[in-house]
Amino acid sequence: MMNRHHFHLKADWNGGRNSEGVISAGNLNTKISIPKEMGGPGVGTNPDEMLIGAAATCYLITLAAMLERKQIPVEKLSLETEGVVSENRGRLQFESVTHRPHVVLGAGVTPEQVKEAEAFTEKAEQSCMISNALRGNVELAVHAEVITAG
């Protein structure tokens, strides 16, 4: 039997292209507008930030779960994600999402655990639900740094 999870978002928009609106979805409540980089007012968040936010949080949670399942001790796990939007003949396209995880493994990890953690940085991107929704339309990349504490 397939389980389905439903997520709902409500949005209100006031005016034309350079106006602003609000969205509400569970714990997410924020203003929205077109970013300044694209000639908008830059109020609140925007679809571009939300897309990389969804991709980044899904990736990070997936990677953390993989490391936990294999009982690989992690001292610190952080991530920087970059999204690139290109404009061609007035048409905007989300071009790429690149994750740059920084994984600091706890003292006493084995060389095998280090290799496994390195492999998980790639596997997390391949397993993440959001990455899989984007795959084929957006270039996806991971540039990981895995080090041991001390």
Side-chain angles (χ1 to χ4, degrees):
M1 180 178 188
M2 181 187 345
N3 289 328
R4 289 196 170 143
H5 306 278
H6 297 259
F7 298 91
H8 301 275
L9 181 140
K10 291 183 179 186
D12 287 305
W13 188 259
N14 303 311
R17 179 193 184 279
N18 286 324
S19 295
E20 62 185 68
V22 294
I23 59 170
S24 175
N27 290 320
L28 175 65
N29 297 290
T30 188
K31 291 181 178 183
I32 57 170
S33 73
I34 294 174
K36 284 187 179 186
E37 298 85 351
M38 295 178 179
V43 174
T45 192
N46 57 68
D48 313 283
E49 290 173 345
M50 291 179 58
L51 186 93
I52 68 167
T57 54
C58 182
Y59 173 84
L60 192 60
I61 292 167
T62 302
L63 177 57
M66 289 177 164
L67 294 165
E68 181 182 84
R69 266 195 301 275
K70 288 293 187 164
Q71 298 179 340
I72 298 173
V74 176
E75 193 169 290
K76 184 175 181 185
L77 178 57
S78 60
L79 176 67
E80 291 183 24
T81 296
E82 177 183 22
V84 176
V85 174
S86 61
E87 185 174 351
N88 187 7
R89 297 181 197 153
R91 183 173 176 257
L92 295 171
Q93 178 176 340
F94 218 100
E95 191 174 297
S96 66
V97 173
T98 303
H99 299 300
R100 291 180 180 87
H102 180 75
V103 184
V104 180
L105 300 177
V109 294
T110 66
E112 293 79 20
Q113 287 176 314
V114 173
K115 282 188 177 187
E116 198 165 26
E118 290 170 344
F120 284 160
T121 63
E122 293 291 331
K123 189 175 181 184
E125 189 276 320
Q126 297 161 5
S127 301
C128 166
M129 171 182 67
I130 302 298
S131 292
N132 289 331
L134 296 173
R135 197 172 324 286
N137 293 312
V138 176
E139 181 184 322
L140 302 167
V142 175
H143 301 288
E145 179 182 29
V146 178
I147 60 173
T148 56

